[in-house]
Amino acid sequence: MSRAGKPRILLLSGYDAGSHRRWYKQLVALLDDFDWTILSLSPRFFRWRIRGNPLTWLHEPALREQWDLIIATSMVDLSTLRGIHPHLSTVPCVLYMHENQFAYPASGAQPSSVDPQMVNLYSALSADRVVFNSSWNQKSFLDGVEALMSKMPDGVPEGLVGELEKKSQVVPVPIEDRLFVKQPVEKNWQCPHLLWNHRWEYDKGPERLLALLQSLERRKVPFRLSVVGERFRRYPPVFDSIHEQFGHRIERWGYLESRASYEQLLLESDVVVSTAVHDFQGLSMLEAMAAGCIPLAPDRLAYPEYVPGDCLYTDHMNDPPAEGESAADRLETLMRERPLPRLPTGWKASKLGPEYRRLIKQLAGDASAYP
């Protein structure tokens, strides 16, 4: 406990990507009656970060202090960290899984290695509770562990997956209450404004977006387009093809520096589109839905957990052109049926905040000691 009588929580973010920062900043704001300390590492040099964070933090003074609870993101090598600092082995630990290394599609950019998966596995075994941001994330992790262990020659412990599942639960990253519109604006179904708001990387399926747009163009379906999201110095060249072929339909293009401009774009858009082949929760989809957008997403990953069935298009993971046609079919159906927005209220911060509070109270000590 701190001098003020508040439980002391050390939060470790081993690869401090934007979604990770957003999550813990919300957590601190929602649960400001706890005493928080944050340690984070820059989101670069992935393989070094996921394997080397215990060394980077080797002489970190905060790791020598006394804590009531440690919360670590899935990039933290929690088992090694607790081994190097033995007094931390008695501190309850939560591993928060924004993602898991068993479910990442291969990019071909880096040599394949089982090492990141083993970091996830050992950290999950070391943690007292493993929390996932979606049921799909949890299932793909447990299935991945089982598949990996089935390849091992011997020495695999019995009941490993069941042991992990027993201490696992799902608590999503919340969406801020202020993003939820009270009265969604009427949609323009004559010429809908399509919003694609994801990181400009291969795993978000940009070639599938191109296939969808080309299908709509062939069918002479009217639409306007905004493609925004975090863009890096090197990005898939298919984005240049999209800009070249559909420049006459583009409303907004590229990363929006202003958060206010981005939130205004959410309000102005009619349909938010995902073409992702990997998305462990889908914050950009959820926040656009909160702003009143109608979702259009593949029937895979975490999307069926919150996207209505009539807004899901058929999954053709191994056939992007076929999936583009499927997405175009679904969009044309939506344009005819004109559904009303269905806000994902179960993902509101005010709904999920109490779940995080219960989790912390269960692990950080006597719940009667503080509100």
Side-chain angles (χ1 to χ4, degrees):
M1 291 284 180
S2 67
R3 290 181 180 178
K6 298 179 178 180
R8 300 191 72 215
I9 302 175
L10 176 63
L11 192 146
L12 303 172
S13 182
Y15 193 86
D16 206 37
S19 60
H20 296 207
R21 287 194 301 274
R22 175 178 174 175
W23 164 73
Y24 67 67
K25 286 181 178 179
Q26 273 204 89
L27 207 57
V28 172
L30 286 167
L31 306 174
D32 61 357
D33 51 326
F34 297 99
D35 184 0
W36 295 88
T37 295
I38 312 293
L39 294 183
S40 63
L41 298 175
S42 300
R44 59 178 185 265
F45 313 126
F46 166 77
R47 290 192 179 280
W48 166 238
R49 283 288 179 268
I50 196 169
R51 205 65 187 93
N53 55 79
L55 285 173
T56 302
W57 282 324
L58 183 62
H59 301 301
E60 170 57 50
L63 293 177
R64 300 190 183 97
E65 297 180 20
Q66 298 299 315
W67 302 96
D68 296 298
L69 179 67
I70 294 173
I71 302 178
T73 64
S74 50
M75 295 297 188
V76 173
D77 186 350
L78 189 59
S79 61
T80 300
L81 201 70
R82 294 179 94 176
I84 290 174
H85 303 277
H87 73 282
L88 297 182
S89 64
T90 60
V91 180
C93 289
V94 174
L95 183 70
Y96 192 84
M97 302 288 284
H98 289 273
E99 64 282 296
N100 77 80
Q101 296 302 312
F102 291 91
Y104 268 105
S107 68
Q110 293 180 321
S112 177
S113 170
V114 75
D115 203 45
Q117 297 175 355
M118 296 304 293
V119 170
N120 273 182
L121 174 55
Y122 288 142
S123 293
L125 288 169
S126 177
D128 297 278
R129 193 74 55 86
V130 186
V131 182
F132 295 84
N133 59 358
S134 71
S135 295
W136 182 80
N137 189 4
Q138 179 186 38
K139 183 178 187 305
S140 62
F141 172 74
L142 295 174
D143 288 350
V145 170
E146 187 168 38
L148 179 63
M149 292 299 102
S150 70
K151 299 175 183 177
M152 298 300 105
D154 62 14
V156 175
E158 292 185 9
L160 176 63
V161 173
E163 179 183 338
L164 291 168
E165 185 174 16
K166 187 176 180 181
K167 61 178 177 179
S168 298
Q169 67 184 95
V170 176
V171 188
V173 176
I175 303 300
E176 297 95 321
D177 285 26
R178 64 179 181 78
L179 293 179
F180 284 77
V181 294
K182 294 181 180 178
Q183 184 62 46
V185 298
E186 187 174 345
K187 301 302 168 191
N188 179 356
W189 291 114
Q190 296 300 318
C191 183
H193 183 176
L194 308 183
L195 171 65
W196 191 94
N197 57 338
H198 310 277
R199 281 183 291 103
W200 288 30
E201 294 189 272
Y202 75 97
D203 59 313
K204 299 305 179 184
E207 78 287 353
R208 295 162 192 268
L209 173 63
L210 177 60
L212 163 61
L213 300 176
Q214 290 173 333
S215 179
L216 294 175
E217 195 83 347
R218 285 193 300 270
R219 301 179 189 201
K220 301 188 184 317
V221 175
F223 66 91
R224 294 167 294 138
L225 176 67
S226 288
V227 177
V228 300
E230 188 176 9
R231 181 172 62 180
F232 305 95
R233 184 174 59 85
R234 297 179 63 182
Y235 58 85
V238 67
F239 284 102
D240 294 330
S241 300
I242 292 171
H243 190 270
E244 180 180 344
Q245 293 182 36
F246 298 97
H248 60 294
R249 297 194 180 277
I250 290 173
E251 298 280 327
R252 305 296 291 270
W253 183 262
Y255 182 68
L256 300 180
E257 295 289 346
S258 166
R259 178 70 191 185
S261 297
Y262 173 68
E263 292 181 8
Q264 183 59 39
L265 179 60
L266 297 183
L267 296 172
E268 295 171 357
S269 301
D270 299 308
V271 177
V272 60
V273 179
S274 175
T275 52
V277 296
H278 134 247
D279 209 344
F280 290 99
Q281 178 174 337
L283 284 176
S284 61
M285 291 294 286
L286 280 160
E287 61 189 11
M289 290 175 65
C293 290
I294 304 299
L296 178 67
D299 188 10
R300 61 172 173 256
L301 309 174
Y303 298 131
E305 296 175 39
Y306 56 84
V307 173
D310 59 352
C311 298
L312 294 168
Y313 57 84
T314 304
D315 172 13
H316 293 282
M317 179 64 81
N318 298 318
D319 192 343
E323 190 163 282
E325 296 294 334
S326 173
D329 289 342
R330 179 58 59 186
L331 179 60
E332 287 199 278
T333 300
L334 292 174
M335 291 172 69
R336 288 194 303 270
E337 296 181 350
R338 304 186 174 197
L340 296 174
R342 280 156 284 185
L343 309 184
T345 54
W347 280 255
K348 273 188 171 183
S350 57
K351 298 271 187 169
L352 292 173
E355 290 194 43
Y356 280 102
R357 182 176 295 278
R358 281 193 292 272
L359 171 66
I360 290 174
K361 283 188 174 184
Q362 288 169 4
L363 294 173
D366 182 9
S368 65
Y370 48 95

